[in-house]
């Protein structure tokens, strides 16, 4: 069985329930719902978890074409069927 961290579980769960989210929006939801205190899910662990899940093909990402402003274009993240199975098990 594949072991995941609390941060990875939070990312998968939020993507499963909320749909496509940017890393920024994921971070805001974690803050709003108190997951930082509850699960020790800091910003760094959140983004690290997101990168690991993308590399493991449990989350997919694409450029947000509606993103505007300075800096790099935003990215939208979506849970994949493999991530959904892991999240539900």
């Amino acid at each position: 069985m594949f072991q995941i961290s609390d941060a990875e579980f939070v990312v998968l769960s939020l993507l499963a329930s909320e749909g496509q989210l940017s890393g920024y929006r994921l971070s805001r939801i974690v803050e709003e719902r108190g997951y930082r205190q509850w699960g020790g899910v800091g910003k760094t662990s959140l983004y690290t978890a997101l990168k690991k899940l993308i590399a493991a093909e449990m989350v997919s990402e694409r450029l947000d074409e509606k993103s505007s402003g300075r800096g790099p274009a935003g990215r939208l993240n979506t849970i994949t069927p493999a991530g959904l199975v892991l999240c539900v098990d």
Side-chain angles (χ1 to χ4, degrees):
M1 182 176 190
F2 188 78
Q3 293 279 333
I4 61 173
S5 68
D6 288 344
E8 292 164 345
F9 182 75
V10 167
V11 169
L12 289 174
S13 296
L14 288 174
L15 291 174
S17 66
E18 302 292 325
Q20 284 187 338
L21 295 170
S22 66
Y24 174 78
R25 186 67 189 127
L26 275 167
S27 182
R28 295 300 308 148
I29 292 171
V30 165
E31 183 68 34
E32 291 165 4
R33 295 185 184 177
Y35 296 157
R36 291 206 199 292
Q37 295 78 21
W38 167 79
V41 181
K43 286 184 182 181
T44 302
S45 61
L46 181 73
Y47 282 99
T48 299
L50 192 53
K51 286 180 183 180
K52 282 183 174 180
L53 292 169
I54 291 167
E57 298 181 351
M58 292 181 201
V59 171
S60 65
E61 73 173 345
R62 68 175 181 82
L63 288 178
D64 181 1
E65 296 171 4
K66 296 179 183 179
S67 177
S68 63
R70 295 184 187 177
R75 297 182 184 277
L76 292 174
N77 303 285
T78 307
I79 193 167
T80 64
L84 192 55
V85 168
L86 185 62
C87 183
V88 174
D89 280 348

